[in-house]
Amino acid sequence: MVKTSQTQKAGESIRETRFSNARLSKVGIEVLRLEDLQRWAQQQWLAQPERIEFHLLILVTAGRGLHTVDFESHELKAGTLISVRPGQMQRWHAGDGLEGLFVVFQSSALPGPGAHTEASHELLRINEWPVCMRCPAKVQAELAEEVRRLADELKRYDQGDLGTALIRQLTGCVLLRSARAVAEHSAMANDKPHSVHRLFIAELERAVGERPTVHALSARLGYSVSTLNRACLAAQGTPAKVVIDKRVALEAARLLVHTLAPAAQISLQLGFSEATNFSKFFQRVMGATPQAFRERHGAR
């Protein structure tokens, strides 16, 4: 199972959940059932927000419920596939007869860019997967079968080389089926604007703490501002500045709700010269003042 901890520094209190299973640490992968999670864990523990340090796939096969990722709640029902990435904030909710499977895997379990396997980063494009999507019945059945096959091998795992290789292959099958479902769902294109958009998002993730401008990212990437705007419009329907503002606001929201740091400290951390400018920015993008947002979402 996974392990949680409270990290405290500089006035912060963050609940971080990490992969922790000594028997499976070599592969960094685990499969669990939703119904078991709800039976094992106290509802009060499940309801607390957490920042995860691994990838999480949730496939719902029956029942109904909710799952919140980065302050947006998603309805769970049969056929729902939830994808959460390292660094994202999530909150579990009690479900009504909720059943399904979830796969926990560390980033190290993903094949590297040069891996000699079909399940490469370019094929998976896991950082582009939507948080929530609906799978047709046939896709749900196929994906559930792959996950169960992986779960069976994990139960038999003896940490030997053959078992390790088999589990990695089965994990690749799960991820490739998920990637195909995502591609069919969102019709992700392989054209230049989306390629530029992927580079833009990756650079933005690295620099989000600096609150970079479009011009700064343009200079780093070697693309013109107009090219970045076209790429963002094609991929997300908004210009590059709006994409940057939303990502910076999300980072601020995470810090407001999941740490005890004062808003003034967060504003400096994200590159704002004045706390009042930060407050105006946050209210414009998120629709609430930093204090109101913190109170609404229950900082812990």
Side-chain angles (χ1 to χ4, degrees):
M1 187 49 183
V2 292
K3 181 179 180 180
T4 61
S5 66
Q6 292 293 125
T7 300
Q8 292 190 342
K9 57 181 179 179
E12 299 182 2
S13 179
I14 307 170
R15 176 182 165 190
E16 296 177 332
T17 304
R18 304 184 305 277
F19 185 93
S20 179
N21 186 318
R23 190 177 70 85
L24 300 176
S25 61
K26 187 174 180 179
V27 289
I29 302 160
E30 187 167 12
V31 175
L32 298 160
R33 299 195 309 168
L34 281 174
E35 49 268 43
D36 289 339
L37 175 68
Q38 294 191 95
R39 187 172 69 251
W40 293 334
Q42 297 179 355
Q43 291 303 324
Q44 183 179 7
W45 180 87
L46 286 175
Q48 294 178 16
E50 61 182 348
R51 182 172 67 194
I52 65 172
E53 300 301 327
F54 46 79
H55 290 270
L56 173 65
L57 288 181
I58 305 172
L59 178 65
V60 181
T61 57
R64 304 186 77 87
L66 288 174
H67 196 72
T68 300
V69 180
D70 280 338
F71 315 106
E72 183 177 355
S73 294
H74 303 275
E75 182 185 6
L76 302 181
K77 57 184 179 180
T80 300
L81 180 65
I82 297 286
S83 173
V84 192
R85 297 188 296 275
Q88 288 189 300
M89 302 290 186
Q90 69 169 9
R91 188 191 299 243
W92 298 89
H93 300 271
D96 182 13
L98 202 59
E99 296 180 10
L101 300 160
F102 66 99
V103 185
V104 174
F105 59 98
Q106 295 176 294
S107 295
S108 59
L110 289 168
H116 297 294
T117 172
E118 288 187 297
S120 67
H121 278 286
E122 280 303 306
L123 278 176
L124 293 178
R125 292 161 62 175
I126 196 167
N127 289 331
E128 297 178 46
W129 292 6
V131 170
C132 179
M133 60 168 282
R134 312 293 178 200
C135 298
K138 182 180 179 182
V139 174
Q140 175 194 334
E142 291 173 345
L143 186 53
E145 182 180 354
E146 294 286 4
V147 174
R148 291 190 183 102
R149 188 177 292 117
L150 172 61
D152 288 342
E153 287 300 328
L154 285 167
K155 289 177 183 176
R156 299 169 56 186
Y157 183 52
D158 60 1
Q159 301 186 16
D161 292 341
L162 283 175
T164 299
L166 181 56
I167 285 172
R168 294 206 182 282
Q169 289 291 332
L170 291 173
T171 302
C173 290
V174 170
L175 295 178
L176 283 168
R177 283 200 182 274
S178 301
R180 185 167 69 178
V182 170
E184 292 172 352
H185 171 77
S186 58
M188 292 189 302
N190 234 345
D191 53 16
K192 185 177 179 181
H194 284 72
S195 174
V196 173
H197 176 258
R198 290 197 295 274
L199 293 172
F200 173 79
I201 293 299
E203 190 61 35
L204 174 57
E205 286 296 320
R206 284 189 285 268
V208 66
E210 307 167 16
R211 194 163 63 96
T213 63
V214 181
H215 284 86
L217 293 180
S218 169
R220 293 183 188 184
L221 293 171
Y223 289 103
S224 67
V225 170
S226 59
T227 297
L228 295 182
N229 279 323
R230 283 196 301 271
C232 289
L233 286 167
Q236 294 183 249
T238 57
K241 185 181 184 305
V242 175
V243 175
I244 293 172
D245 285 352
K246 287 183 177 180
R247 181 62 185 87
V248 173
L250 172 59
E251 195 67 18
R254 289 172 173 175
L255 293 169
L256 283 166
V257 174
H258 299 285
T259 80
L260 301 178
Q265 179 182 326
I266 292 172
S267 71
L268 289 174
Q269 185 175 333
L270 293 177
F272 290 87
S273 58
E274 298 286 343
T276 53
N277 293 337
F278 167 67
S279 182
K280 291 176 182 177
F281 164 84
F282 191 85
Q283 186 164 14
R284 173 173 61 81
V285 179
M286 303 298 288
T289 65
Q291 183 60 32
F293 189 90
R294 174 171 258 173
E295 292 174 356
R296 180 190 306 165
H297 291 277
R300 296 177 185 269

